[in-house]
Structures are given as C-alpha cells and as structure tokens.
Amino acid sequence: SKTTTGGTAWSLNGNYPGKESPIQAIDEDVETKWLDEDPDPRKNRRGEAYAFMALTVQLPTSAPMDEYSFHTANDVPERDPIAWDFWGSPDNVTWVLLDSQEDATADVPDERETETNRFPVDIPCYLPLPIHIRYSNDTTPCLEGDIIANGENCTASCREGYLPEPDYITCVQGELIPGTFACNAV
C-alpha cells in the first residue's frame, strides 16, 4: 500500500473548530485531527449518541487503492469513528460503495495517535463503452451507469430490436464476469 499525499478535504455542513478542520484529516500529521462537533444519532462504543458528519476527500490524481486506514486523535476515544460507509467516485458524479463498517470497534485502537488496522476496499468495475458492444444502447450499455460496485450487476441494455446475451454481467473485485455481453437481433 502507498500513502497518497496532497488532495483536499471538506465536510458539508460540518461544525468544526478552525484548527481541527477537514484538511487536518489528510495532512499526514498524527498530532492534528478533524473534529466535527455535531454528532448524528449513531452510537459510539459506549452506546452514547455520537458520530461524525460526512468527510469528503479528493485525491490530487485518480489512483487505484486496495485498502485504507486512519489514525486515532490525541484525545477522547469515544469520538473515534467505529461505523462508516466509504464511497469512491472517478468523477464526483457517480459514486460506488467501496467499504462499509458497522462495528469496527476491534479495529480502532484505544491508544491515541495510533494507526487503525487496514480496511480492504471492494474494487468497483468500469463498464464497457457503447462503442465496444455492437448494437448496445447508445448512452450506456449498462442500465446502472458507467461504474458499479463490487458484487453488483450490470443489466445489459441493447438497442430496440436486439436482446442481450447474457442478460447481465457481474463485478467481482474490479473484473466483469463474464467480461462482456453481446446484443443479438431478435
């Protein structure tokens, strides 16, 4: 795994002190942190209502990734995130779920300024372009769009008068199974 430097971070509608802004979440300094002071109703490890608002990170360049981690803050273990959804987008328009943690308590250490265990990423699939599948739908050959999450299906879409074979293809860790579909005349 490789650490990505640079980029920017923000939290829409976040309520954070100036010295604990979203950019501190990605500055590679374990002595800084991002803090959102407005919890949502999810529960922390003691069963108290406390969770962070959404943090969005935009990397300086598109790059594949297979895992991620974060460091605990310098104080208050009860504010460490233990449940989240991790989404990715190649274009800030189409988003796919890369990982979801419902209870990562065992993976988030109580020790302060300490790296968590690494969380694997489900690798999404970019779908075939219309020019690569003869007689496919002109807009997108998959009803779901141009990118789908790991484990999801691409429902094949053909022009009128054509039927797909097979009806769908599945994304399995970045690979389409089967690799494509054909649009055959009815």
Side-chain angles (χ1 to χ4, degrees), residues 14-164:
N15 179 17
Y16 46 84
K19 293 182 179 180
E20 295 176 344
S21 71
I23 199 68
Q24 271 76 40
I26 64 167
D27 66 2
E28 298 185 70
D29 183 349
V30 297
E31 295 180 5
T32 65
K33 66 181 177 191
W34 165 58
L35 169 65
D36 196 303
E37 295 181 325
D38 288 336
D40 73 17
R42 287 184 282 176
K43 307 288 184 193
N44 68 17
R45 60 180 86 203
R46 290 188 186 166
E48 302 160 328
Y50 207 96
F52 293 108
M53 302 298 287
L55 173 69
T56 303
V57 176
Q58 185 170 13
L59 302 176
T61 59
S62 294
M65 62 183 298
D66 57 5
E67 60 185 13
Y68 67 99
S69 64
F70 60 91
H71 285 83
T72 58
N74 62 333
D75 62 0
V76 194
E78 291 75 28
R79 291 195 303 227
D80 290 341
I82 59 166
W84 61 86
D85 288 336
F86 186 65
W87 294 79
S89 173
D91 57 10
N92 288 326
V93 175
T94 305
W95 294 83
V96 295
L97 185 64
L98 301 175
D99 183 42
S100 183
Q101 297 292 323
E102 291 186 24
D103 184 3
T105 304
D107 296 303
V108 178
D110 284 330
E111 294 78 25
R112 305 294 75 213
E113 299 175 340
T114 303
E115 186 176 12
T116 64
N117 290 336
R118 295 187 178 257
F119 300 95
V121 171
D122 288 332
I123 302 169
C125 293
Y126 287 97
L127 301 175
L129 297 173
I131 61 171
H132 296 130
I133 302 172
R134 192 171 181 184
Y135 306 117
S136 70
N137 182 309
D138 286 332
T139 310
T140 178
C142 296
L143 296 178
E144 293 75 12
D146 296 331
I147 185 170
I148 58 172
N150 176 57
E152 298 293 320
N153 292 329
C154 155
T155 306
S157 177
C158 297
R159 293 182 190 168
E160 189 172 329
Y162 294 86
L163 291 175

